[in-house]
Amino acid sequence: ASWLRHQVAEGLKWRFPEGVPDGYEERCDYELGVIEGKGFPSYFLITADLIQHAREVGILVGPGRGSAAGALVAYALGITNLDPIPQKLLFERFLNPERMSMPDIDIDFDDRRRGEMIRYATDKYGSDRVAQVITFGTIKTKAAIKDSARVHFGQPGYSIADRISKALPPPIMAKDIPLSGIVDSKHERYAEAAEVRTLVETDEECKTIFETARGLEGLIRNAGVHACAVIMSSEPLTDAIPVWQRDDGSIITGWDYPSCEAIGLLKMDFLGLRNLTVIGDALENIKANRGEEIDLDRLGFDDPEAYKLLGRGDTLGVFQLDGGAMRDLLRRMLPTGFEDIIAVLALYRPGPMGMNAHNDYADRKNNRQQIKPIHPQLEEPLREILSETYGLIVYQEQIMQIAQKVAGYTMGRADTLRRAMGKKKKEVLEKEYEGFEEGMKSSPLVEGGFSPEAVKALWDTILPFAGYAFNKSHAAAYGLIAYWTAYLKANYTAEYMAALLTSVGDNKDKSAIYLSECR
């Protein structure tokens, strides 16, 4: 713990050579108190060490992802690359002092060099203490039908299996209806499976295949390796779990990661991000071509060319802002600052779009729509929290700040409220509402507390958004990569597009799109 405090103090000096701003040391003190209380100092030190190594050997690291971007300690240690204070990111969204949960810091690395990072961790902490994680492939709907048909009928079984597969309702988000759902009238897709039911009921061969397939469904067929999870332990892993050495010599856990986490082993995600590869190549190209060295860490958020590019919707090849509908939204919104990039990433998702929040944001920003307060009594208290999003609730952090401000919640309790609202369980919500109402009625912000109408109006506004509101820390960290790629495309077009084309060289469709963009 004392070493972590020392590292954080040094880190603040490194981040702010002109002097550490007011309030930063106090915030770090508070965060360190929570981290020490939960016994996580070594976790932060290990993560910081991994990232420092990556930077020393020139492996590009993402600016952070998930809720970790809300921790000032993580920024001071170089784990994340976005100062959480100006963006109003909350530490409690990452570690809730009132709930025991492991911190989860996922790290993005340059796609091509992810393996080097796993090798570094293994060499440093010992090959008996670091392992990649097993995954189990299960037999799904179509595979069960095929296997069953092959065993029952040999070669002719293939055509029967094909007939059953063609009668299945189409997959939704790449998931087929389970075999049990076809005959279970309570299953949400039961009605769509009428054709396949008729086939099974009227054809003896299909019936035989179907009945056997139901017994196969869900069985484990093979073992693979998890794409990004790594388990680390302070003791040799064989003391705690079985391990499996693959033919290539790599060590894999014998249990899947939820089981490893359940007995207290630490899981870290080493993720490969293709866009970091593109950024890295673009920076190399700029150096080779123009002799300029660009330090992304020292780049401000105020490049006018980047915002012009976003406002034109010229964002083919810009991280997360690449799709057609997204480009239309950018033209409607005309982003002028970094907070607009964060908002567009949070709003461009099915939930907020279903409530038309993305268009409301664009229209309010450009004075095509008036901002209406949730309730007259709430206009002033919520002004500061909702002004950055033009009176709309976009982020989970805003829900937490609202509960803290008007209902007197602690941040930890506010995070519990946010989770409860997101899960939408009726009995839990009724209990939460009582506490929320109680807090608002005794609030010192309004003489005599808030009126029952104001309480109800606020609750009814927050509730539908709670399931859709986005984690602002994650949106801000990914917004940073989006901004970097927009900046490079706007100011160093040839070098950026060359890097982009290299990265999609093995994809005919994307190469064609980006080539026509270059022309």
Side-chain angles (χ1 to χ4, degrees), residues 88 339 361 371 382-392 398:
K88 300 196 186 77
E339 62 283 353
Y361 183 98
I371 298 172
L382 298 185
R383 182 178 306 236
E384 200 190 337
I385 298 170
L386 296 180
S387 62
E388 58 164 345
T389 49
Y390 305 99
L392 297 162
Q398 286 174 311

Coordinates of all heavy atoms in Angstrom, one line a residue, residues 88 339 361 371 382-392 398:
K88 N -15.8 14.9 -15.4 CA -16.7 14.5 -14.4 C -17.0 13.0 -14.3 O -18.1 12.5 -14.3 CB -18.1 15.2 -14.5 CG -18.0 16.8 -14.5 CD -19.4 17.3 -14.2 CE -19.4 18.8 -14.3 NZ -19.4 19.4 -15.7
E339 N -17.0 16.7 -25.5 CA -18.2 16.1 -24.9 C -19.2 15.6 -25.9 O -20.0 14.7 -25.6 CB -18.8 17.1 -23.9 CG -19.4 18.4 -24.5 CD -18.2 19.4 -24.8 OE1 -17.1 19.2 -24.5 OE2 -18.6 20.5 -25.4
Y361 N -30.9 15.2 -28.7 CA -29.6 15.9 -28.3 C -29.1 16.8 -29.5 O -28.7 17.9 -29.2 CB -28.5 14.8 -28.1 CG -27.2 15.3 -27.6 CD1 -26.8 15.3 -26.2 CD2 -26.2 15.8 -28.5 CE1 -25.6 15.8 -25.8 CE2 -25.0 16.2 -28.1 CZ -24.7 16.2 -26.7 OH -23.5 16.7 -26.3
I371 N -35.2 23.2 -24.4 CA -34.9 22.3 -23.3 C -36.0 22.4 -22.2 O -36.2 23.5 -21.7 CB -33.5 22.6 -22.7 CG1 -32.4 22.4 -23.8 CG2 -33.2 21.7 -21.5 CD1 -31.0 22.9 -23.4
L382 N -30.8 20.5 -10.8 CA -30.2 19.5 -11.8 C -29.5 20.2 -12.9 O -28.9 19.6 -13.8 CB -31.3 18.6 -12.4 CG -32.0 17.7 -11.4 CD1 -32.9 16.8 -12.1 CD2 -31.0 16.9 -10.5
R383 N -29.5 21.6 -12.9 CA -28.9 22.3 -14.1 C -27.5 21.9 -14.4 O -27.1 21.5 -15.5 CB -29.0 23.8 -13.8 CG -28.4 24.7 -14.9 CD -28.6 26.1 -14.6 NE -30.0 26.4 -14.2 CZ -30.7 27.3 -14.8 NH1 -30.2 28.0 -15.8 NH2 -31.9 27.5 -14.4
E384 N -26.7 21.8 -13.3 CA -25.2 21.5 -13.5 C -25.0 20.1 -14.1 O -24.2 19.9 -14.9 CB -24.5 21.7 -12.2 CG -23.0 21.9 -12.4 CD -22.2 21.9 -11.1 OE1 -22.8 22.1 -10.0 OE2 -21.0 21.6 -11.2
I385 N -25.8 19.2 -13.5 CA -25.6 17.8 -13.9 C -26.1 17.5 -15.3 O -25.5 16.7 -16.1 CB -26.4 16.8 -12.9 CG1 -25.8 17.0 -11.5 CG2 -26.3 15.4 -13.4 CD1 -26.6 16.3 -10.4
L386 N -27.2 18.2 -15.8 CA -27.8 17.9 -17.1 C -27.4 18.9 -18.1 O -27.8 18.7 -19.3 CB -29.3 17.7 -16.9 CG -29.8 16.6 -16.0 CD1 -31.3 16.5 -16.0 CD2 -29.3 15.2 -16.5
S387 N -26.7 20.0 -17.8 CA -26.5 21.0 -18.8 C -25.6 20.5 -19.9 O -25.8 20.8 -21.1 CB -25.8 22.2 -18.2 OG -24.6 21.9 -17.6
E388 N -24.6 19.6 -19.6 CA -23.7 19.1 -20.7 C -24.4 18.3 -21.7 O -24.0 18.1 -22.8 CB -22.5 18.4 -20.1 CG -22.9 17.2 -19.3 CD -21.8 16.2 -19.0 OE1 -20.7 16.3 -19.6 OE2 -21.9 15.4 -18.1
T389 N -25.6 17.7 -21.3 CA -26.3 16.9 -22.3 C -27.7 17.5 -22.6 O -28.6 16.8 -23.0 CB -26.5 15.4 -21.7 OG1 -27.0 15.6 -20.4 CG2 -25.2 14.7 -21.6
Y390 N -27.8 18.8 -22.5 CA -29.0 19.6 -22.9 C -30.2 19.0 -22.2 O -31.3 18.8 -22.9 CB -29.1 19.5 -24.4 CG -27.9 20.1 -25.1 CD1 -26.9 19.2 -25.6 CD2 -27.6 21.4 -25.1 CE1 -25.7 19.7 -26.1 CE2 -26.4 21.9 -25.7 CZ -25.5 21.1 -26.2 OH -24.3 21.5 -26.7
G391 N -30.1 18.7 -20.9 CA -31.3 18.3 -20.2 C -31.7 16.9 -20.3 O -32.7 16.4 -19.8
L392 N -30.9 16.1 -21.1 CA -31.2 14.7 -21.3 C -30.3 13.8 -20.3 O -29.2 14.2 -20.0 CB -30.9 14.2 -22.7 CG -31.7 14.9 -23.8 CD1 -31.0 14.7 -25.2 CD2 -33.1 14.3 -23.9
Q398 N -24.7 10.3 -14.5 CA -25.6 11.3 -14.2 C -26.7 10.9 -13.2 O -27.1 11.6 -12.3 CB -26.3 11.8 -15.5 CG -25.3 12.7 -16.3 CD -25.9 13.0 -17.7 OE1 -26.5 12.2 -18.4 NE2 -25.9 14.3 -18.0

